[in-house]
Amino acid sequence: MHEEFPTDSPAVVTCGLPYANGDLHVGHLRTYVSGDAYSRALDRLGQSVAFVCGSDMHGTPIAVNAAEADIDPETFALEYHEQYERTFPKFNVEFDNYGHTHDETNTEMTRSFVRSWIDGDHVFEKEIEVAWDAETDQPLPDRFVEGTCPYCGERARGDECDDGCQRHLEPGEIEDPVSTITGNPAEYRTRPHKFLRLSDFQTYLQGFIERLEGTDNAKHQPREWIEGELQDLCITRDMDWGIDYPGEGQEDLVLYVWVDAPIEYVSSTKQYSDRVGKAEYDWDAVWGDHSGPESTVPEGGEIVHIIGHDIIQHHTVFWPAMLRGAGFNEPRAVMACGFVNLAGEAFSTSRNRAVWADDYVESGLDPDLYRYHIVTGSEFTADVNFSWDGLQERVNSELVGTLGNFLYRSLLFAERNYGGTPDADTSEEVETRIEAATEAFREAVNDYRVRGLGRVPVELAKFGNEYIQRHEPWKLTDDEPERAAQVIRDCVQLSKAIAVLMEPVLPGKAERLWTQLGEDGSVADADLDEALSSPPATFGEPDELFERIEDDRVEELNTQLEERVAAAESDTGSEEDGSEDSPELKPIADDRIGFETFQDLDLRVGEILRADPIDGADNLVKLEVDIGVETRRIVAGIKGLYDLETLPGTRIVVVANLEKSELFGVESNGMLLAAGEEADLLTTHGDAKPGTKIK
Ligand SMILES: [Zn+2]
């Protein structure tokens, strides 16, 4: 249906807006790194493209948190907005424009969208039941209310069922509503609100979903919603913070955050176009002239949205209807990526179980290493795991062992023996191989496979290593100088092709390689065809592009993370939000044991007398435990989980007949019982004395 990239029309790549409500962690960055890589890849193909985004400044979570911090929501959100603007370039994420939803461009753009819907008779007013806090006498929009999802029965917060079916929830839908302000059960009261009549767009959306490209999840998931009865979208909220509803007589209402947030895609493109001039990039040519009759989709460019898979419905149902109702062009593709887990578990900001963007920056590791790890760690639509160990493994084996190794040995050999590129032609074999790699790259772009963009250059380097090994040029320089020159010529050509192909995912490293090759200008201006054009005849001695990450570095980073989690645990005493964070419970063991086997365990009630840290051991504590018949020394891995001073006097359960062991030079005589990762200590319910046997 759509022409392949590159097309003659301009393209825009957008990323789901970060919500200006907290620090970014490496999980959040997946979307932005992927968007950046994809837009760079389009550019390599020769596609005219802008990469835009902005901060999402409105909505109830910001209003709630700003109120708690006792500052106005604008100041609160702007602080995060500015922080994001500083953070993205540190990961080589370079937007052509980065605005925010509260700026003048977006406020005006949003109001003009809504006026178009009103003029087109797509907006109506309806009295609805809204949740209300009787104590504070105020309405409870979105995140001000919690309750049960009417669709799946999971606990839901306001307008999203994030822990369950991930549906958008309309005001009044949530069951058993509770106010997040006072914790009281909420009442429902009747209020007039404005709605966008989505059913007006049902036929249109059914056609749209057939045309839509992108990842399979984004193309298929919306079908159920679009084919069923479309629920009209309430576009106003009872709040002060937001963009005022532009129609008559409803000055006390603001627009729902999901109205003005996606419109920022258009506003941010316009800001870029205004800055560079329409001759260089014309936002109208992308989003359509939005003045034509509604019966046809206006002519426009290639709109590609890159988002997390939790907001597919917003981008494939609400957003195209919103664009359509205002006479704008429709998205060409929606690419929805999976989440990021941290060492196998979900990130938990409440438990500080996160690698924050700043942690990564402070680690001193190159941003391209993170980019590579996150882009190639799994298929784009699947969840990906981030861990320092995982990063180390991928960097050391693929970037150092394969990519860096090939580039360094090739360029060093070339420089030492020829002072640069040898005077010879590339072989047909290598030329064919480079052509195949550029074709694979082109296909990855057209199939919306971001992972492929990272795989292609590494696969080419793998071939290069094998090629060098097969021809052993170091054996040829004396006897067969012409063949040696040709082999090295091939290797330098492969290196240049790799520089062009790796630029989207590894832009900083590609730039350095480009300079090492003696090329002028920036690799970011090179087209894919440059992969086969001759490298400069002379270049200097190369240095190694990638460095190994050593074990002790990883250990340090892991310890830093563990200590932070432990500190957060002891601050709060327990997990704040167990439902979100606890790993899946393991199934009960298959094998049954006899009662006699159980009786082999000598379990006793103990009382902690002293608790001291052990020098050099990050997690271990030395306990003196009274078990009635004697006092035992037991070493336990609970440091950081408990305040040691509070432990004496605590009743615990001890395995008294466990073999002795030695940990960090301290003998441990017995073991205490505790539940889970957080070592919740087992205790007795009544007043069983120390030494009492447990049976
Ligand atoms: Zn649900």
Side-chain angles (χ1 to χ4, degrees), residues 21-44:
N21 189 35
D23 296 335
L24 293 174
H25 57 60
V26 298
H28 296 125
L29 287 165
R30 181 180 194 186
T31 313
Y32 308 104
V33 163
S34 303
D36 182 79
Y38 191 76
S39 119
R40 286 173 189 268
L42 281 173
D43 196 17
R44 295 287 69 67

Side-chain angles (χ1 to χ4, degrees), residues 149 152 161 164-165:
C149 172
C152 71
C161 179
C165 61

Side-chain angles (χ1 to χ4, degrees), residues 148-156 160-169:
T148 309
C149 172
Y151 298 98
C152 71
E154 286 292 318
R155 183 169 157 273
E160 311 288 339
C161 179
D162 352 50
D163 290 339
C165 61
Q166 309 208 324
R167 261 176 196 265
H168 162 82
L169 300 178

Side-chain angles (χ1 to χ4, degrees), residues 228-251:
E229 194 187 333
L230 280 174
Q231 206 177 7
D232 296 322
L233 182 69
C234 181
I235 57 169
T236 50
R237 291 294 185 269
D238 295 290
M239 274 173 75
D240 297 327
W241 177 235
I243 295 174
D244 293 335
Y245 178 76
E248 299 276 305
Q250 290 294 354
E251 285 80 10

Side-chain angles (χ1 to χ4, degrees), residues 160-211:
E160 311 288 339
C161 179
D162 352 50
D163 290 339
C165 61
Q166 309 208 324
R167 261 176 196 265
H168 162 82
L169 300 178
E170 281 287 297
E173 279 199 300
I174 208 165
E175 290 169 357
D176 312 317
V178 172
S179 163
T180 59
I181 300 171
T182 58
N184 296 331
E187 302 173 355
Y188 276 120
R189 291 198 190 170
T190 308
R191 300 272 295 170
H193 274 279
K194 299 291 182 180
F195 285 78
L196 179 62
R197 201 181 293 106
L198 278 186
S199 46
D200 290 355
F201 304 96
Q202 184 130 21
T203 313
Y204 163 72
L205 287 170
Q206 284 165 353
F208 162 76
I209 203 67
E210 298 299 330
R211 293 187 291 275

Side-chain angles (χ1 to χ4, degrees), residues 71-256:
I71 45 178
D72 68 279
E74 182 170 358
T75 311
F76 178 90
L78 270 177
E79 208 163 291
Y80 283 110
H81 165 70
E82 284 160 15
Q83 185 186 318
Y84 301 166
E85 266 189 314
R86 289 192 301 269
T87 301
F88 289 126
K90 294 178 185 167
F91 289 82
N92 292 334
V93 172
E94 286 167 13
F95 293 109
D96 290 310
N97 193 74
Y98 190 80
H100 66 72
T101 57
H102 196 66
D103 65 25
E104 214 183 300
T105 314
N106 196 57
T107 304
E108 272 317 301
M109 186 72 75
T110 300
R111 293 164 67 93
S112 94
F113 261 74
V114 178
R115 281 193 214 101
S116 299
W117 303 337
I118 296 170
D119 293 346
D121 200 21
H122 299 302
V123 175
F124 66 97
E125 186 173 296
K126 191 168 77 173
E127 300 250 310
I128 55 163
E129 306 264 283
V130 300
W132 200 279
D133 191 313
E135 189 182 322
T136 57
D137 194 28
Q138 70 177 96
L140 298 168
D142 307 323
R143 294 290 165 122
F144 283 108
V145 65
E146 294 185 354
T148 309
C149 172
Y151 298 98
C152 71
E154 286 292 318
R155 183 169 157 273
R157 288 184 286 187
D159 54 342
E160 311 288 339
C161 179
D162 352 50
D163 290 339
C165 61
Q166 309 208 324
R167 261 176 196 265
H168 162 82
L169 300 178
E170 281 287 297
E173 279 199 300
I174 208 165
E175 290 169 357
D176 312 317
V178 172
S179 163
T180 59
I181 300 171
T182 58
N184 296 331
E187 302 173 355
Y188 276 120
R189 291 198 190 170
T190 308
R191 300 272 295 170
H193 274 279
K194 299 291 182 180
F195 285 78
L196 179 62
R197 201 181 293 106
L198 278 186
S199 46
D200 290 355
F201 304 96
Q202 184 130 21
T203 313
Y204 163 72
L205 287 170
Q206 284 165 353
F208 162 76
I209 203 67
E210 298 299 330
R211 293 187 291 275
L212 183 68
E213 296 189 351
T215 52
D216 284 347
N217 52 359
K219 287 187 290 182
H220 296 144
Q221 206 176 306
R223 284 176 188 273
E224 175 197 346
W225 298 316
I226 289 172
E227 278 153 21
E229 194 187 333
L230 280 174
Q231 206 177 7
D232 296 322
L233 182 69
C234 181
I235 57 169
T236 50
R237 291 294 185 269
D238 295 290
M239 274 173 75
D240 297 327
W241 177 235
I243 295 174
D244 293 335
Y245 178 76
E248 299 276 305
Q250 290 294 354
E251 285 80 10
D252 58 334
L253 295 178
V254 299
L255 290 163
Y256 177 43

Side-chain angles (χ1 to χ4, degrees), residues 40-53:
R40 286 173 189 268
L42 281 173
D43 196 17
R44 295 287 69 67
L45 255 52
Q47 174 75 44
S48 160
V49 59
F51 179 41
V52 305
C53 192

